[in-house]
Amino acid sequence: MELVEVSPTQLPMSLLLEADPCEEKIQGYLDRCWGFAAKQQDAYLGACLVLPGQNGTAEILNLAVQPGFQGKGIGTSLLRWTLKQLSAKGTSRVALGTGSFGPQLTFYQRLGFRVTEVQRDYFLTHYPEPLFEQGIQHRDRLWLSLDLAE
Ligand SMILES: CC(C)(COP(=O)(O)OP(=O)(O)OC[C@H]1O[C@@H](n2cnc3c(N)ncnc32)[C@H](O)[C@@H]1OP(=O)(O)O)[C@@H](O)C(=O)NCCC(=O)NCCS
């Protein structure tokens, strides 16, 4: 497996939909992002889209691993490597929004991300369809961030 920086438009939409169920939203941010990927031969096993911001900030908008390859360390490797690339590009603080429960939260916290804000009812007001996981509806979004200099 190799970790590479790619043009976001090269990434398969089916993979990006694993992390963000709304294709319209993805199309809205795709062109403005940096793309990072875990590749095996010609297959994309994982993808990470990052939106550069102002004053050394950046936002992870999409991080996904192909369903058959999840839980094998690919997401951790891809995110760790992406954070190094972001640091090399001059990013000092990385933020992202995620659900208020579930394995994704554990995943990000294990890599050092901390909760900085709770956006109540975010998933009710920003997505056309209700989002369910483990039989629970996602309502509130947690805003997490990581200082790369730490
Ligand atoms: C979240 C995701 C990127 C993590 O990548 P991964 O390669 O599966 O994760 P790793 O193998 O590196 O790390 C495993 C840890 O991630 C977490 N995790 C999150 N989603 C998981 C999943 N679907 N399967 C297994 N572990 C998952 C668990 O905490 C797990 O820890 P554990 O082994 O102690 O239970 C990936 O599972 C995925 O694409 N999920 C669907 C899309 C998504 O939710 N993206 C994040 C949007 S906020």
Side-chain angles (χ1 to χ4, degrees):
M1 188 183 78
E2 53 174 342
L3 298 167
V4 288
E5 184 163 1
V6 292
S7 160
T9 50
Q10 280 180 265
L11 297 165
M13 182 54 68
S14 59
L15 176 56
L16 301 175
L17 284 166
E18 289 294 326
D20 184 345
C22 186
E23 181 166 350
E24 208 181 322
K25 270 185 185 293
I26 296 172
Q27 294 291 4
Y29 58 69
L30 197 60
D31 286 344
R32 296 179 288 133
C33 287
W34 290 321
F36 305 94
K39 253 182 121 176
Q40 199 164 52
Q41 286 149 1
D42 285 340
Y44 287 103
L45 302 186
C48 185
L49 291 177
V50 183
L51 183 69
Q54 291 182 331
N55 304 321
T57 61
E59 181 182 348
I60 295 175
L61 291 183
N62 194 303
L63 176 66
V65 171
Q66 293 284 7
F69 292 87
Q70 292 174 6
K72 299 175 190 293
I74 295 173
T76 302
S77 302
L78 175 58
L79 184 53
R80 278 193 203 284
W81 183 78
T82 297
L83 295 174
K84 277 193 195 146
Q85 306 313 303
L86 294 179
S87 192
K89 286 175 185 287
T91 304
S92 53
R93 189 175 172 86
V94 182
L96 62 92
T98 191
S100 56
F101 62 90
Q104 301 88 338
L105 190 54
T106 323
F107 172 81
Y108 289 119
Q109 290 195 334
R110 196 174 283 154
L111 282 161
F113 282 84
R114 304 270 304 269
V115 177
T116 48
E117 193 188 333
V118 181
Q119 298 169 319
R120 282 176 69 85
D121 292 335
Y122 179 91
F123 291 108
L124 304 183
T125 53
H126 289 74
Y127 279 81
E129 303 289 335
L131 294 178
F132 279 88
E133 194 173 348
Q134 298 168 331
I136 308 168
Q137 185 172 7
H138 275 289
R139 295 162 59 100
D140 309 318
R141 183 167 87 156
L142 295 186
W143 192 247
L144 311 183
S145 72
L146 177 71
D147 286 325
L148 295 181
E150 275 179 9

